[in-house]
Amino acid sequence: MNLVKEQFVHQSVEQSRMEIQSGGMPLTLVRVFWRTLLVCLAVGSIGLAYLIYPATPARSRFMGFDGFIILPKGGILNVLDYLTVDERALLVAGESTGSVFNVAMDAGPNGTGETAMELRGAPSVHGIAFAREPDIAFVTRSGANTVDVIDLKRSQIVASIPVADDPDAILYDAASNLIYVANGDAKLATLIDPDRRTTVAAISLGAKPEYAAIDSLGGLLYQNLKDTNSVAAVDLIKRAVVGQWPLASCEGPTGMAIDSEHRRLFVGCSGNSTLAVFDMDQHRVIASLKIGGGPDSVAFDPSLHRIYSAGRAGKLTVVQQDVADSYRVLDQIRTHYGAHTLAVDPVSHRVYVGYASLFVRPRVAVFSPLKAGGS
């Protein structure tokens, strides 16, 4: 009787083990699955917290962090694009919300700076340029394929100028009194008369333009062409491309800044995270430096001979120009993922970096250079 009972129990246990394994997943695999899931959730939570919370930037011997200028919250995800600064204001493009933020130049750091204006419009606002008329700015909107004319004093859109597809970068050339608009998908540039507020010409570029820079001494405009890894020279008076050259070792040129005095272009290469230094007279790249990942914006401070780059990986790269052909990376400062756009004020030498934000208010980080790398 006892023997029969033991056999029955033994058979039941063995049968249960077989049933568990025959269910499609052994117990060990179940445990591995749940542990892996928990690890993924933990890592995902840390990553989400990093994306949401814009922590203080890393310390640097070369740049001091002054604080944040906090902007009004737009939506769940807030992406900023180009920043434009001069003695009139700091203008910030809110790409995801369609807002243009006008921040007074005397706004203090640490979140105390007040936004003088938030003007909303069509989605996908990108570049902002001042012309010679006071309190007037020109803004590209790829969501509507327009250049909006904004009266900053009245906080109103006073005109909308239709342009070709995908208006992005925009600059004002004082010598020709023209607004230059780079139309990415259309692979051309639109020229606008800022006084009559109407288009006057279109220039075929033959490739997708990104950012551009104007040579104040030579009179030409230099335009990055992203899909051909090249740079074109545009004569705005003749309204024609007058030269095009390859950017050796540069993949996906995006941001650009210019040193007219030393005849150098500084090009951010998004595809291989480098800064290419281009000689405008010899028409060739003379230096290439590794910088933060996904560089998008580049700015130059001619007084301090410093080049700054910001990229989507969340690094503010500081490069020193020792002489026209000699450059060194001073620092790569951790900022925040998606902080890919910047501007430099040549008077105060402050550097403004636009942060992307998730759930929290968007902001602009403000940095000041430190003397001789000291604190």
Side-chain angles (χ1 to χ4, degrees):
M1 187 73 174
N2 290 337
L3 180 61
V4 173
K5 188 174 181 179
E6 286 180 13
Q7 288 178 343
F8 178 76
V9 172
H10 181 71
Q11 289 173 356
S12 299
V13 173
E14 290 297 325
Q15 185 178 1
S16 298
R17 289 175 179 169
M18 291 296 292
E19 287 174 354
I20 290 173
Q21 292 192 1
S22 63
M25 187 176 292
L27 278 175
T28 52
L29 290 182
V30 172
R31 293 192 187 100
V32 170
F33 170 77
W34 283 110
R35 288 173 182 170
T36 303
L37 181 61
L38 289 173
V39 170
C40 290
L41 289 173
V43 172
S45 298
I46 294 171
L48 185 61
Y50 169 71
L51 290 174
I52 293 174
Y53 181 67
T56 301
R59 292 179 61 85
S60 170
R61 293 175 49 238
F62 302 93
M63 301 294 293
F65 174 59
D66 297 336
F68 289 113
I69 295 174
I70 308 297
L71 304 174
K73 184 178 179 180
I76 294 176
L77 175 64
N78 299 281
V79 179
L80 304 180
D81 209 343
Y82 296 114
L83 279 63
T84 299
V85 61
D86 74 355
E87 67 277 2
R88 286 170 277 192
L90 167 67
L91 299 185
V92 183
E95 180 179 352
S96 55
T97 62
S99 294
V100 173
F101 303 102
N102 180 0
V103 182
M105 284 303 295
D106 59 354
N110 302 313
T112 60
E114 294 183 358
T115 303
M117 178 198 74
E118 179 191 8
L119 180 62
R120 295 210 169 198
S124 302
V125 58
H126 298 290
I128 307 172
F130 291 109
R132 64 184 179 184
E133 189 176 355
D135 302 314
I136 295 295
F138 293 79
V139 178
T140 55
R141 295 189 188 273
S142 63
N145 288 330
T146 62
V147 170
D148 287 351
V149 184
I150 297 178
D151 187 319
L152 299 175
K153 185 172 290 185
R154 293 188 292 160
S155 298
Q156 290 182 353
I157 297 175
V158 295
S160 288
I161 306 167
V163 294
D165 289 348
D166 192 25
D168 190 7
I170 183 170
L171 298 94
Y172 172 66
D173 177 50
S176 63
N177 190 33
L178 289 172
I179 296 286
Y180 175 93
V181 180
N183 299 91
D185 291 344
K187 298 184 178 182
L188 55 79
T190 302
L191 300 184
I192 294 174
D193 183 325
D195 299 325
R196 293 189 291 146
R197 298 174 183 174
T198 184
T199 58
V200 294
I203 302 172
S204 176
L205 298 171
K208 187 170 183 175
E210 277 285 336
Y211 205 67
I214 296 172
D215 179 10
S216 58
L217 298 180
L220 297 178
L221 178 142
Y222 289 84
Q223 172 68 69
N224 276 338
L225 299 175
K226 187 173 183 180
D227 50 354
T228 58
N229 299 328
S230 61
V231 59
V234 181
D235 188 320
L236 297 180
I237 302 297
K238 296 179 179 178
R239 302 178 182 180
V241 175
V242 294
Q244 183 174 336
W245 306 278
L247 292 169
S249 72
C250 178
E251 299 176 9
T254 50
M256 177 189 286
I258 191 168
D259 176 4
S260 291
E261 180 184 356
H262 296 101
R263 316 299 300 150
R264 298 291 181 265
L265 292 176
F266 309 115
V267 180
C269 309
S270 61
N272 57 344
S273 302
T274 61
L275 179 76
V277 181
F278 182 82
D279 186 317
M280 293 187 290
D281 293 329
Q282 298 186 31
H283 305 142
R284 64 184 184 91
V285 173
I286 55 96
S288 184
L289 299 92
K290 273 294 179 183
I291 56 176
D296 192 25
S297 295
V298 179
F300 178 59
D301 186 329
S303 298
L304 300 181
H305 302 284
R306 279 188 178 181
I307 305 106
Y308 300 99
S309 172
R312 298 187 185 278
K315 293 287 183 68
L316 169 63
T317 303
V318 184
V319 176
Q320 185 67 49
Q321 179 192 56
D322 294 320
V323 294
D325 290 344
S326 178
Y327 301 83
R328 54 196 167 96
V329 175
L330 297 180
D331 205 352
Q332 292 192 30
I333 306 166
R334 175 186 52 77
T335 54
H336 191 66
Y337 181 80
H340 66 104
T341 183
L342 61 77
V344 62
D345 180 3
V347 178
S348 68
H349 307 292
R350 276 184 161 182
V351 177
Y352 299 89
V353 180
Y355 276 41
S357 64
L358 184 64
F359 298 120
V360 299
R361 292 170 66 181
R363 61 203 59 209
V364 176
V366 185
F367 298 86
S368 291
L370 299 176
K371 294 182 180 179
S375 58

